[in-house]
Amino acid sequence: MENVHYQKIWHTVLQIPVGKVASYGQIADLAGLPGRARLVGKALGYAPKELAVPWYRVLRSDRSLAFPAGSDTAKRQRELLQDEGVLLRNNRVRKEDLWQPDLAELLFKLKY
DNA sequence: ACATTGACAAGAT
DNA sequence: GATCTTGCCAATG
């Protein structure tokens, strides 16, 4: 898989701090790919394991988990998030846990 | 080329 | 919020 966009997406997701979450659309925007929220999910699915991309810190714009509630993946995601202190109430995270990146700092980091 | 598919989003109800 | 409906757009077949 040699899609250029995937790299940008992975690196952007890598910037999400521990204990914070971001939406697919937000990541797409930050990665310079506005309107491509759906591509983010796909990219995460292809993310190489050795990159350790925190896929579980990405969820829907309404702050709900993207996987079917009760599915194994959803359970694992919920667990990983709670281990970082992100609490879920009925498959939704609190808005205080949303990532609000400083653009200047972020763009600097993504230069590499 | 053409059609379908998505780990989505925004607006309306 | 919860549900629906429409819009989206690259990737895939």
Side-chain angles (χ1 to χ4, degrees):
Chain A
M1 209 54 65
E2 65 329 330
N3 191 317
V4 241
H5 300 326
Y6 291 171
Q7 288 283 348
K8 303 191 59 159
I9 292 172
W10 297 333
H11 287 304
T12 304
V13 173
L14 248 351
Q15 307 303 317
I16 307 175
V18 173
K20 292 292 176 183
V21 300
S23 76
Y24 293 93
Q26 182 183 1
I27 294 300
D29 288 344
L30 294 173
L33 302 166
R36 268 153 276 182
R38 305 184 92 125
L39 189 63
V40 173
K42 199 165 308 195
L44 288 176
Y46 290 137
K49 190 166 165 285
E50 57 270 26
L51 220 58
V53 176
W55 59 272
Y56 56 89
R57 292 183 193 142
V58 184
L59 31 82
R60 296 199 186 111
S61 59
D62 65 358
R63 313 201 312 277
S64 67
L65 302 192
F67 297 93
S71 68
D72 286 347
T73 322
K75 286 184 190 171
R76 186 159 56 251
Q77 181 172 22
R78 197 188 170 100
E79 223 175 337
L80 288 165
L81 286 174
Q82 294 195 341
D83 285 348
E84 298 188 346
V86 177
L87 306 182
L88 289 95
R89 188 167 92 271
N90 257 23
N91 229 47
R92 291 193 165 244
V93 308
R94 305 170 306 183
K95 51 185 198 322
E96 308 93 81
D97 292 325
L98 293 176
W99 182 36
Q100 284 160 12
D102 174 73
L103 258 0
E105 178 189 346
L106 178 66
L107 292 176
F108 177 76
K109 288 182 182 169
L110 287 176
K111 282 183 65 176
Y112 301 96

